[in-house]
Amino acid sequence: MEPFVKLTGIVAPLEALNVDTDQIIPKQFLKRIERTGYGDVLFYDWRYLDDGKTPNPAFEMNAPRYKGASILLTKNNFGCGSSREHAPWALHDYGFRCLIAPSFADIFYNNCFNNGMLPIVLSEAVIETLFGEVRARQGYALTVDLPSQTITKPDGGVIPFDIQSFLKERLLNGWDQIGLTLRFEKDIAAYEARRGIA
Amino acid sequence: MAKNIYEKIWEAHVVCAPEGQDTVLYIDRHYVHEVTSPQAFEGLRLAGRNVRRPELTFATMDHNIPTTDRSLPIRDPLSRKQVETLKANCEEFGIVCFDMYDPRNGIVHVVGPELGLTQPGMTVVCGDSHTSTHGALGALAHGIGTSEVEHVLATQTLLQKKSNTMEVRVNGALPHGITPKDVILAVIGKIGTAGGTGYVIEYTGDVIRSMSMEGRMTVCNMSIEAGARAGLISPDEITFAYLKGRPYLPKDKSWDELVASWREWASDPGCAYDAVVALDASEIEPQVSWGTSPGMVTGVRGRVPYLAEIADANARLAAEKALKYMGLEEGTPITEIRINKMFLGSCTNGRLEDLRAAAKVIKGYKVHPSIEQALVVPGSNQVKRQAEAEGLDVIFKEAGFEWREAGCSMCLAMNDDRLNPGDRCASTSNRNFEGRQGKGGRTHLVSPAMAVAAAIMGHFVDIRDWQYK
């Protein structure tokens, strides 16, 4: 997994509550057996008109000013619903590396860390301010620094954020979860022996 | 000290808790289906890893499979490939797979309990958010992503942080016409779709204690719709009676020994929770969702909200967007909402008891002429056989409902069963998200009895007034 240390990137706004994983990637795209190639169908039903090809001009993120965005700014309970990891795969494939919202759904939040993406929780008030600033200035970019747990705004303002230390370590080092756990193979074997799992 | 069931199961499954990292938690039962597993098996192959305990993992195909004639090949080449890939992966790694021709096949969350694969005190995971269903048996069960599926296959463990616990207590007795589906929709309506985030819910109270296992599964199933990854119920005599005689119970213990060991998992009297929510069953009405999130729900005697009533600006925006998608006017009484499709099935409401309740309602009636499709999809092959043995299929067919093969079907519309743009469906499934049952389709979540009653009348009706024939 690629590590996440520091990122400076354009911010794209997605103004919706409870964005579920069916919206992030609809089910017809879950039939593939690969991990990659989902970026083009991210937010498919919102992003394209009914022909499935023409970008929907009403979908804010389609505006040229947000092209190349790597930070997604959104609202409460992002990623709710299905456990499909295709959702973080699609966000990652599109180019997002960092997501900022007042809250995330549990399973989705975990899935992000297994794909080298950083979900950041900030207060609703701070998020509202960021929405205003992003829209007010074309090319609005933030710098996210994981070691210092800070976000730096274009005006130099700094927003601190919290993250569990273990999740932070995993992202900083790009650790493979399975590799981490296999260091405790002896403990797993001992546990199984204790339970009589042979 | 008195402990709740979550604390007991957690403590019994800690492999190790290394300094500075998440706990390594042992997984007793792992279910796999065709949609969220291919990349996990591929990951194992690429890393040269094996499945640590293939005998603890069971696979079924459910999301993609047709509910029509199974003797024909799956038409969609991508669906067919995914189903074939699961079969090949299970053969390669030595995992039992209930393929679509197997009499044990069905929706993973229906099959696991009915085969006795899920038992009290187990840790259960699956790459599927409705794994919370298995909590009804007193197991700690939740959905995981595909990377975690691979992790469980390789290590039979998960890296986990201990959750907070929430007691959802439903007091009183269920009034006539009120079902477990109405209970859980009312819970979600009360605490919100993110109300359970970060928590494991334990459902308690008189209503839960007197509820059947199938009803408990309906309740636990939708815990994820309240944001809680897991929802569970302490095992009791109803749990044990349900499990008795199921094929995959341990063979090395007597029945009495099993029951005694299962009983230990139940929450101790006086145990504590991090949060408590209480509901009075007598206040629960038959529920109907009006929006595009399961929390957008009200009683059948209610109406679609007026936007001006919603104080929070974000919630108002969400409701406005939902009403536009749903094609509903503010203030519309629920009983004036007309439907043209109906779906009875899913891991939420595709069990025998659900089919029985629905059959009782429709007996002697015909589907309303305005209904273009009314699908009945059993949750598993076993449910289908049992229903047919009781003659329920005949009742459905005589009333004008389609009787299909088992599977996930129109709950998420990955196979050919789906809504067309603008269709309005009374559905017993779990999610009313935009496009969930087909692009442009409009879903109203209801109980089985409410769904079929709407199919008979052409619009939602209060099931408490139903004239049973």
Side-chain angles (χ1 to χ4, degrees):
Chain A
M1 195 175 77
E2 67 186 277
F4 182 109
V5 181
K6 189 172 182 172
L7 164 76
T8 299
I10 301 246
V11 183
L14 178 64
E15 178 133 29
L17 279 185
N18 301 317
V19 174
D20 57 76
T21 53
D22 276 84
Q23 305 320 314
I24 299 173
I25 182 163
K27 70 286 205 134
Q28 64 267 35
F29 305 112
L30 310 185
K31 299 186 183 190
R32 297 176 58 245
I33 57 173
E34 297 83 17
R35 257 177 200 265
T36 52
Y38 297 97
D40 289 343
V41 295
L42 175 72
F43 300 125
Y44 183 82
D45 285 348
W46 290 346
R47 192 168 143 202
Y48 300 106
L49 295 178
D50 285 344
D51 65 3
K53 289 187 297 228
T54 314
N56 178 1
F59 187 57
E60 189 174 12
M61 210 196 287
N62 280 339
R65 59 185 289 191
Y66 300 120
K67 197 169 166 20
S70 56
I71 299 172
L72 181 71
L73 179 69
T74 186
K75 300 226 157 165
N76 262 314
N77 201 24
F78 186 80
C80 61
S82 146
S83 63
R84 61 188 69 163
E85 200 162 312
H86 309 70
W89 293 338
L91 288 160
H92 189 277
D93 208 44
Y94 181 90
F96 289 116
R97 294 294 178 272
C98 175
L99 316 170
I100 303 176
S103 64
F104 294 92
D106 278 344
I107 301 176
F108 175 82
Y109 185 80
N110 266 329
N111 286 343
C112 287
F113 288 95
N114 288 327
N115 290 281
M117 279 197 301
L118 172 62
I120 297 177
V121 175
L122 297 177
S123 75
E124 286 192 45
V126 172
I127 298 275
E128 291 299 335
T129 307
L130 286 175
F131 264 97
E133 291 178 5
V134 165
R135 284 173 177 149
R137 179 166 158 183
Q138 188 156 344
Y140 187 92
L142 293 171
T143 296
V144 178
D145 184 71
L146 184 55
S148 68
Q149 295 179 216
T150 56
I151 299 170
T152 307
K153 303 207 287 184
D155 64 7
V158 173
I159 306 167
F161 64 88
D162 283 332
I163 181 172
Q164 289 169 29
S165 56
F166 177 53
L167 293 174
K168 177 177 172 178
E169 286 295 304
R170 276 179 52 201
L171 274 189
L172 284 175
N173 296 290
W175 280 332
D176 162 35
Q177 243 201 121
I178 298 176
L180 276 180
T181 299
L182 287 175
R183 294 179 302 157
F184 304 106
E185 207 281 325
K186 275 188 184 157
D187 298 85
I188 299 171
Y191 177 90
E192 288 175 331
R194 227 165 38 237
R195 289 263 313 269
I197 300 166
Chain B
M1 210 182 91
K3 288 178 186 160
N4 65 42
I5 180 170
Y6 172 71
E7 292 163 334
K8 291 184 187 186
I9 298 177
W10 172 274
E11 285 168 17
H13 289 83
V14 172
V15 168
C16 57
E19 180 79 24
Q21 76 150 69
D22 286 358
T23 299
V24 181
L25 199 73
Y26 200 77
I27 301 303
D28 296 325
R29 182 68 70 227
H30 184 197
Y31 296 111
V32 164
H33 66 67
E34 78 274 19
V35 179
T36 56
S37 66
Q39 296 86 355
F41 285 111
E42 184 61 16
L44 289 182
R45 266 192 294 272
L46 288 173
R49 286 170 178 147
N50 233 322
V51 175
R52 181 179 178 87
R53 290 281 170 199
E55 73 279 11
L56 301 184
T57 297
F58 289 81
T60 181
M61 18 190 98
D62 51 11
H63 284 60
N64 275 283
I65 60 176
T67 56
T68 48
D69 190 351
R70 292 270 166 87
S71 63
L72 302 170
I74 300 179
R75 282 196 313 176
D76 180 344
L78 286 172
S79 290
R80 191 166 65 234
K81 176 87 189 282
Q82 205 166 49
V83 161
E84 286 167 356
T85 301
L86 176 65
K87 180 111 176 127
N89 282 331
C90 287
E91 279 167 12
E92 180 183 344
F93 289 97
I95 292 167
V96 171
C97 176
F98 307 131
D99 69 23
M100 69 183 205
Y101 307 106
D102 192 301
R104 296 164 295 184
N105 175 264
I107 307 175
V108 59
H109 311 307
V110 177
V111 165
E114 77 185 2
L115 292 178
L117 283 164
T118 301
Q119 296 149 26
M122 277 185 165
T123 46
V124 178
V125 295
C126 174
D128 193 287
S129 60
H130 292 111
T131 307
S132 57
T133 312
H134 303 260
L137 289 118
L140 175 61
H142 61 83
I144 54 177
T146 297
S147 297
E148 291 173 311
V149 170
E150 186 181 336
H151 189 279
V152 176
L153 289 170
T155 69
Q156 203 57 41
T157 67
L158 264 186
L159 293 179
Q160 291 284 286
K161 218 177 138 54
K162 202 168 174 186
S163 295
N164 289 324
T165 53
M166 177 186 286
E167 179 187 18
V168 172
R169 195 188 309 140
V170 191
N171 295 312
L174 280 188
H176 163 72
I178 307 301
T179 70
K181 181 66 162 288
D182 302 305
V183 172
I184 188 62
L185 283 172
V187 169
I188 297 164
K190 185 177 170 99
I191 70 174
T193 48
T197 303
Y199 290 98
V200 165
I201 294 177
E202 180 179 357
Y203 300 95
T204 66
D206 299 340
V207 166
I208 304 296
R209 287 272 75 93
S210 56
M211 201 178 267
S212 70
M213 278 314 296
E214 299 198 352
R216 293 177 185 185
M217 287 185 227
T218 301
V219 170
C220 289
N221 172 273
M222 289 187 73
S223 302
I224 184 69
E225 264 55 69
R229 278 204 300 177
L232 73 182
I233 293 172
S234 284
D236 59 12
E237 301 308 322
I238 291 174
T239 320
F240 310 142
Y242 172 88
L243 281 165
K244 191 156 193 186
R246 306 240 165 219
Y248 279 96
L249 299 184
K251 305 274 188 276
D252 57 344
K253 280 185 183 160
S254 72
W255 175 249
D256 289 345
E257 285 170 329
L258 280 177
V259 169
S261 67
W262 289 338
R263 208 182 288 282
E264 294 294 311
W265 298 108
S267 288
D268 296 330
C271 66
Y273 301 88
D274 298 295
V276 178
V277 173
L279 265 84
D280 185 345
S282 67
E283 289 170 10
I284 302 175
E285 276 193 80
Q287 301 284 301
V288 181
S289 74
W290 52 264
T292 53
S293 170
M296 294 173 169
V297 68
T298 188
V300 66
R301 301 263 175 97
R303 53 170 173 73
V304 173
Y306 289 100
L307 295 175
E309 297 169 340
I310 303 171
D312 178 72
N314 281 319
R316 193 164 56 244
L317 189 74
E320 187 179 354
K321 200 161 164 273
L323 290 186
K324 188 166 173 236
Y325 180 85
M326 294 296 288
L328 289 172
E329 297 292 328
E330 297 175 56
T332 306
I334 296 295
T335 50
E336 285 179 17
I337 299 175
R338 304 198 67 84
I339 61 161
N340 68 327
K341 297 266 171 92
M342 192 237 48
F343 172 66
L344 169 57
S346 84
C347 59
T348 311
N349 279 131
R351 297 182 182 80
L352 188 60
E353 191 175 290
D354 301 312
L355 302 183
R356 281 180 185 152
K360 200 173 141 203
V361 171
I362 63 167
K363 201 167 182 186
Y365 286 97
K366 294 271 185 227
V367 164
H368 193 272
S370 68
I371 303 295
E372 292 161 45
Q373 186 171 46
L375 275 186
V376 183
V377 183
S380 71
N381 285 346
Q382 186 174 316
V383 169
K384 181 167 186 272
R385 285 194 305 275
Q386 287 172 327
E388 288 172 353
E390 294 182 13
L392 303 185
D393 57 322
V394 177
I395 298 173
F396 283 114
K397 285 187 274 194
E398 280 179 355
F401 292 80
E402 291 179 50
W403 180 250
R404 294 291 189 92
E405 298 293 330
C408 296
S409 180
M410 212 205 272
C411 174
L412 88 166
M414 268 190 88
N415 69 356
D416 290 338
D417 309 335
R418 64 179 76 115
L419 298 181
N420 296 317
D423 279 349
R424 188 179 296 286
C425 182
S427 179
T428 67
S429 55
N430 39 58
R431 290 190 173 134
N432 51 351
F433 298 157
E434 285 183 30
R436 171 79 179 181
Q437 295 192 287
K439 188 172 169 147
R442 294 153 173 171
T443 302
H444 294 274
L445 303 175
V446 285
S447 72
M450 285 285 289
V452 293
I456 299 292
M457 303 309 287
H459 58 87
F460 291 109
V461 294
D462 190 338
I463 194 67
R464 292 171 297 186
D465 301 334
W466 192 256
Q467 299 292 315
Y468 290 87
K469 289 189 182 169

